[in-house]
Every structure is written in C-alpha cells, then in structure tokens.
C-alpha cells in the first residue's frame, strides 16, 4: 500500500505522462475553460443576488460601506438605468455561462474517452509485445479487465479528477479573495469552521474508500473470470445439468461486487450531505456575528447575500475537492497497472539483418533450455533441409513443444545457436522470420467471422484475394463445404468456429497458412483425432509442400 501514498505532484506527473500529448494539451485547455466559466458564474451570481436583496430592502437613508457603494453605482450617470435591465443582462450572462458549461462538459467527456481509448490500444499493443512465456502463464480474465476497464477507471478518476481539482481550487481561490475584501474577520471565522468540517469529511472518506476500492478491483476480475468460465462450458453444463451451479457462482460474485459498489456510492455522497449541513450552520454563525458587530439590516442583508452566493459555489467545490482527491487515491491501482504495463524502459531495437529469399536449411547447434532447476533440452543439434518433412516425436514432457517454440521464435534459448542457410541468426521475436513462417496447431484459433476473414487473417476485406481463397479451399478439401448456400466464402462460422467440425477447423487453419505463402510450415499434431479421409488429405498436402521446396516441421505421435 505504500505506493498509494505517493506525493500529490508525483501522482499528477505520472497521470499527465500516461495521458500523452493529446491528453496534456486537453488538460490545460480544459482547466482554463473551467476557470473562465466559474469566474463568469461567480461574477453573475455575486452581482445579482446582493443586488436583488439590496433592491428589496433599499433604505431611504443608506448607511454602511456596501450600501453606499451600491447607491453610488446605481445613481452614477453611467449606470442610471433600470435595475431590471441590469438583472436581465446578468440573466443573459448566466445563460452564456450554462452554454459554455455544456460545451466544457462535452469537451472533457470526449477528452476522457479519447485518453482511455488511446491507453487501451497501448495496452493491447503491450499485450502482443510480451514474451510468449508470460502470455502462456497469464490470465485472460485479468488481461481483459486491464485492457477494457483499467483505462476508463484511470481516465475518469485520475485524469478528470485532477482537472476538477485544479478548476475547483481556482474557483475557491477567487471566492476567498473576494470574501477577504468584503470582511476579513467573518471570512476567517467561517473558513476555519468549513476547514475543520471538510477535513473531518475527508478523513472519514479516506478511511473507508481505499478498502472498498481494493475489494472492487479484486471482485471485478473474479466476476469477469466467473462469467467467462460459465460461458465457455456450455456443452458440459448441458450434459452434467450443472447450470444452476455456474449461475449461483456468478451471482455470488456479482452480489459481492454490487455490495461494494453500493458502499462506494454512499461514500461518494457523504461529503455533500455534511457540507450542506455545514453551510446552514455557517449562515447561523454569520447572523450571530452580524448581531455582534451591530450592522444595519440592509448592509447585513447585502453581505449575507455575498456570503450565501459564495457558499452556493464553494460547498460544491469543497465536495468535488474531497471526492476527487479520495477517488484518485482509492483508484490508484489503475495508475499502477498502467505504469507497470506501459512505463517500461526503452530498449534499443537491434536491427535484424535481412534473411535470405530462399531458405535451404535450418540448423540448431548445442541447444539448451531449462525452466528453473528443470532441464528440458540439453546439447540438442539438428539439421533440416528444404524439401524435407521433419517429424518431432517423443513422450509427453520430453520437450517437443519447447523445441517447436524455439524454432518458431517464441522462446529464447539459454544456450546454443540457430543457423539459417549456414549463417547464424536470431529467430526470437524476429518479425522478419515471422514473415517467412506459418503455424497450424491441433486447436486452431477460429475468429467469429466469415471463412474468408479466417483465411485472409488480419487483411482488410477490400484487399482479400477471393480467387486465391477459392483455389486454396480446393486444395484443403473445403470447396464443396463453402459452395453450399448463397454466402460461399463469406459464410459465417460462429464464435470459436461453432458451425465447423474439428476437421473443418484444422483445414481452415491450414488454408490460412497456405494463403500466407510462407517458406517454413510448423504443424502441431494436426492429424490427431481426424478421420482417415481428412488425415490422408493433409498428408498428401504436406508431401506437395515439401516437393515444392518448402520446409515442413511437425510434432506427431504417428
């Protein structure tokens, strides 16, 4: 919890750093617009309310400093106009203030969403840039929550929170200067009273907000995981008749999350209730002070109007300052997650040498891999020639998948080297190498989309080569399947390929690899659990690939 106690300005610095150039520029513009609009509101109300009160109780023999000032202004030749016209002008200013306020609200909300969207994109990029082993050990529910929700929590609570804090501090400062000019003594008494109550409200809110925030963060992740688990086991739920078990598990998490959310909402509204009561007590204190100082009714009414106007604006400002400061602290975890994911030391990208156009051989020399104290591969050497179909076999846990992932470039070996056409090269996270290879696993990823979008993976629809897809579908034995119905290659396959059989999924994945036109193919037990017809079709296709000079490497038990 030590990190949640970072200094105010350090947290602000981190917030602005994460917000990017667009966010920082918008932050300054938003603060300036909010201060201008607040000044317009203060000027309008601070002029209108005392003027109305004075007009109602206007004395025949004016006495008192402020009463004399009002008389001089109203009787001056430059201002010798009807008070109703003055009030109408003030009403027009108030209308302008509300229109400007609406625009500011629109600008801030749009800016907040823009910052959150940018951060979500950066988090997704960071997710793709992480090492394969971190991905394999990660939790999809946690990643989903971090990418989708954390930027919104940060943007709403920290980014907008600091905008509101600076805007409200400027408002309070302007009002305090004005009240000091009106009556330093009364200002000192009322401010001391407000400060004590505000600090008490802040202490109460701080005490409970951090714990509630921690609970909500944990429950958001567990609720999301519970729902994803319930959605992923549809078939098993039907067969085992366990729907109520998963419903109850999810509902229990959801109820716990709702309970913490209710506490959070109540806590958010608590300072406003306390400050409203404080404002009423402040009026009583002012009336007592007026009686003590012996001011006349008109001057007392005028000054009371000024202080009431200030209170009308200061109480919401104090409430925002308390709420936003607590929200920033209680949602500090979002800032920490973003810093952890995005504030990584910059590593100078080593320029990778170009790879040969034609791959003739791939070699591994003295390869060694270990996880902790467990040695998986030791002093392994092998040579693979273009035109060969190389099978990797072995017992479960023997290191087949580890060797595969080293050759693909997902795992960096601790020992040994890899050669391409006899020249040393580094396949690990090498984009130039990734361009030359394709991978098909026994559990292929099928997108919720059309057959064409699954084969032309990540290609914009207008750039898809439909004739090539149709030709490849004939090679993998799916031409007849795609020819059924009116949609053809644009037939939807459903979430996770729900409309496809296991064999059809693998052939779609194989077609995807062929569409890429790589030099090296990696296959992971793609004939397991297939019928003999589908398996023979894949065997025949592998032979064609090897005869065309491609490198074919696969894990198999056959």
């Amino acid at each position: 919890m030590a990190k949640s106690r970072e200094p105010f300005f350090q947290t602000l610095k981190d917030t602005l750093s994460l917000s990017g150039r667009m966010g920082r520029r918008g932050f300054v513009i938003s603060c300036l617009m909010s201060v201008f609009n607040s000044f317009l509101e203060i000027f309008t109300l601070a002029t209108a309310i005392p003027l109305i009160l004075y007009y109602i109780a206007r004395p025949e023999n004016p006495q008192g400093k402020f009463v004399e000032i009002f008389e001089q202004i109203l009787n001056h030749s430059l201002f010798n106009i009807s008070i109703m016209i003055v009030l109408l002008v003030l009403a027009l200013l108030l209308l302008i203030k509300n229109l400007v306020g609406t625009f500011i609200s629109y600008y801030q909300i749009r800016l907040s969403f823009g910052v959150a969207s940018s951060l979500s994109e950066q988090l997704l990029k960071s997710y793709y840039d992480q090492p394969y082993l971190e991905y394999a050990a990660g939790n999809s529910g946690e990643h989903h929550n971090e990418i989708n929700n954390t930027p919104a929590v940060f943007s709403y609570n920290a980014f907008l929170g600091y905008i509101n804090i600076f805007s409200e501090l400027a408002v309070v400062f302007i009002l305090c200067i004005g009240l000091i000019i009106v009556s330093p003594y009364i200002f000192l008494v009322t401010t001391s009273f407000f400060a004590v109550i505000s600090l008490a409200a802040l202490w109460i809110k701080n005490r409970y907000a951090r714990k509630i925030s921690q609970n909500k963060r944990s429950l958001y992740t567990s609720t999301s995981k519970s729902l994803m688990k319930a959605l992923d086991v549809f078939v098993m739920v039907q067969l085992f008749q366990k729907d109520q078990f998963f419903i109850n598990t999810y509902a229990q998490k959801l109820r716990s999350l709702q309970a913490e959310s209710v506490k959070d909402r109540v806590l958010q509204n608590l300072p406003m209730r306390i400050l409203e009561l404080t404002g009423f007590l402040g009026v009583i204190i002012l009336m007592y002070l007026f009686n003590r100082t012996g001011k006349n009714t008109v001057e007392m009414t005028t000054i009371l109007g000024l202080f009431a106007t200030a209170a009308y604006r200061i109480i919401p400002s104090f409430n925002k300052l308390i709420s936003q400061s607590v929200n920033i602290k209680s949602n500090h975890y979002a800032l920490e997650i973003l810093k952890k994911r995005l504030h990584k030391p910059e590593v100078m990208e080593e320029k990778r040498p170009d790879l040969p156009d034609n791959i003739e051989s791939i070699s591994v020399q003295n390869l060694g891999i270990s996880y902790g104290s467990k040695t998986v591969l030791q002093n392994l050497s092998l040579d693979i020639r273009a035109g060969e179909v190389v099978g990797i076999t072995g017992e479960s846990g023997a290191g087949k998948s580890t060797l595969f992932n080293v050759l693909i470039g997902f795992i960096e070996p601790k020992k040994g080297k890899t050669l391409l056409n006899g020249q040393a090269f580094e396949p690990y996270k090498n984009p130039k190498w990734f361009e030359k290879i394709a991978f098909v696993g026994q559990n292929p990823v099928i997108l919720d989309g059309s057959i064409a979008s699954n084969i032309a993976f990540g290609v914009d629809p207008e750039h898809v080569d439909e004739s090539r897809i149709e030709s490849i579908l004939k090679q993998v034995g799916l031409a007849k399947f795609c020819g059924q119905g009116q949609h053809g290659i644009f037939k939807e396959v459903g979430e996770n390929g729900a409309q496809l059989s296991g064999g059809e999924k693998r052939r779609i994945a194989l077609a995807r690899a062929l569409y890429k036109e790589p030099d090296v193919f990696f296959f992971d037990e793609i004939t397991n659990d297939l019928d003999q017809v589908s398996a023979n079709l894949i065997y025949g296709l592998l032979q064609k690939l090897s005869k065309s000079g491609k490198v074919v490497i696969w894990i198999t038990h056959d």
Side-chain angles (χ1 to χ4, degrees), residues 450-451 466 470 479-492:
S450 66
I451 292 173
E466 297 179 22
E470 291 171 353
K480 184 178 179 181
F481 170 76
C482 294
Q484 297 172 352
Q486 59 180 348
H487 299 295
I489 63 173
F490 298 104
K491 180 187 297 184
E492 296 290 320

Side-chain angles (χ1 to χ4, degrees), residues 309-512:
T309 303
Y312 170 81
R313 190 61 183 83
I314 281 181
I315 288 177
S317 293
F318 267 89
N319 181 56
K320 278 189 178 181
L321 288 171
I322 293 172
S323 297
Q324 297 300 334
S325 62
V326 172
N327 282 346
I328 289 171
K329 288 183 179 179
S330 60
N331 292 285
H332 195 270
Y333 74 88
L335 178 65
E336 289 300 315
I337 290 173
L338 293 172
K339 285 170 60 179
K340 177 183 176 182
R341 299 296 186 196
L342 303 178
H343 276 184
K344 295 181 178 178
E346 286 192 21
V347 178
M348 292 297 294
E349 189 71 28
E350 182 182 349
K351 187 174 181 180
R352 308 287 184 114
D354 292 332
L355 301 182
D357 293 332
N358 298 314
I359 295 179
E360 299 173 358
S361 66
I362 303 172
S363 303
V364 172
Q365 295 180 353
N366 301 318
L367 183 69
I369 294 285
S370 58
Y371 299 128
S373 59
K374 181 182 178 182
T375 300
V376 180
L377 297 173
Q378 186 173 11
N379 296 327
L380 175 68
S381 298
L382 60 87
D383 292 303
I384 303 170
R385 299 285 176 181
E388 294 180 343
V389 178
V390 177
I392 300 175
T393 63
E395 298 178 355
S396 179
K400 302 187 299 297
S401 296
T402 298
L403 174 60
F404 226 48
N405 286 324
V406 169
L407 294 173
I408 291 173
F410 285 158
I411 296 178
E412 185 176 21
K414 302 296 182 183
K415 179 184 174 184
K417 61 181 179 178
T418 309
L419 306 175
L420 193 64
N421 293 356
Q423 300 295 318
F425 90 110
E426 178 57 66
Y428 179 66
K429 298 183 73 172
N430 188 338
K432 293 181 179 180
W433 173 240
F434 290 161
E435 289 176 1
K436 291 183 171 292
I437 67 175
F439 169 75
V440 181
Q442 58 179 320
N443 297 307
V445 174
I446 302 296
L447 303 177
D448 184 3
S450 66
I451 292 173
S453 66
N454 271 281
I455 294 174
F457 189 82
V459 178
D460 290 331
E462 59 268 23
H463 297 140
V464 171
D465 189 336
E466 297 179 22
S467 60
R468 274 195 64 217
I469 289 178
E470 291 171 353
S471 174
I472 290 171
L473 286 172
K474 291 179 183 178
Q475 296 179 53
V476 298
L478 285 178
K480 184 178 179 181
F481 170 76
C482 294
Q484 297 172 352
Q486 59 180 348
H487 299 295
I489 63 173
F490 298 104
K491 180 187 297 184
E492 296 290 320
V493 299
E495 186 177 9
N496 295 323
Q499 306 299 322
L500 303 173
S501 67
E504 288 166 346
K505 289 180 183 180
R506 291 188 198 173
R507 282 188 271 181
I508 289 287
L510 183 56
R512 178 189 298 158

Side-chain angles (χ1 to χ4, degrees), residues 513-527:
L514 293 172
Y515 187 87
K516 186 180 180 182
E517 295 185 309
D519 295 311
V520 184
F521 288 85
F522 291 90
F523 297 111
D524 185 2
E525 301 186 9
I526 59 171
T527 58

Side-chain angles (χ1 to χ4, degrees), residues 1 6 17 34 107 125 141 148 155 202 209 256 262 269 278 288 324 378 406 408-409 425 464 481 494 514-515 529:
M1 291 307 299
E6 284 186 357
S17 174
S34 296
Y107 179 83
K125 178 67 167 61
N148 212 34
S155 182
L202 182 62
S256 299
V262 168
N269 294 326
T278 306
Y288 172 76
Q324 297 300 334
Q378 186 173 11
V406 169
I408 291 173
F425 90 110
V464 171
F481 170 76
L514 293 172
Y515 187 87
D529 305 323

Side-chain angles (χ1 to χ4, degrees), residues 243-290:
D243 53 326
Q244 203 56 48
F245 170 80
F246 287 95
I247 292 171
N248 290 341
T249 302
Y250 172 66
Q252 183 180 2
K253 300 286 187 184
L254 194 61
R255 282 193 293 269
S256 299
L257 177 59
Q258 289 172 343
E260 294 300 319
S261 298
V262 168
K263 294 177 187 177
D264 189 36
R265 288 297 179 90
V266 171
L267 202 60
Q268 295 292 334
N269 294 326
L270 182 61
M272 190 63 184
R273 310 300 179 200
I274 295 174
L275 291 172
E276 284 179 356
L277 176 61
T278 306
F280 183 76
L281 295 175
V283 172
I284 296 175
I285 292 173
L286 281 176
M287 293 178 67
Y288 172 76
L289 293 174
F290 285 146

Side-chain angles (χ1 to χ4, degrees), residues 159-220:
F159 182 72
L160 280 185
Y162 276 114
I163 290 177
N164 288 327
I165 283 176
F166 279 99
S167 301
E168 297 306 323
L169 282 175
V171 170
V172 171
F173 177 77
I174 293 171
L175 286 170
C176 287
I177 294 297
L179 294 177
I180 289 173
I181 294 172
V182 172
S183 178
Y185 171 68
I186 294 176
F187 168 77
L188 181 62
V189 174
T190 53
T191 302
S192 300
F193 179 68
F194 262 96
V196 171
I197 300 298
S198 298
L199 288 173
L202 182 62
W203 179 82
I204 292 171
K205 199 169 183 182
N206 265 330
R207 180 174 181 180
Y208 296 101
R210 193 173 291 114
K211 183 177 180 181
I212 291 173
S213 176
Q214 289 175 343
N215 293 340
K216 284 179 66 178
R217 176 190 177 187
S218 173
L219 287 167
Y220 270 127

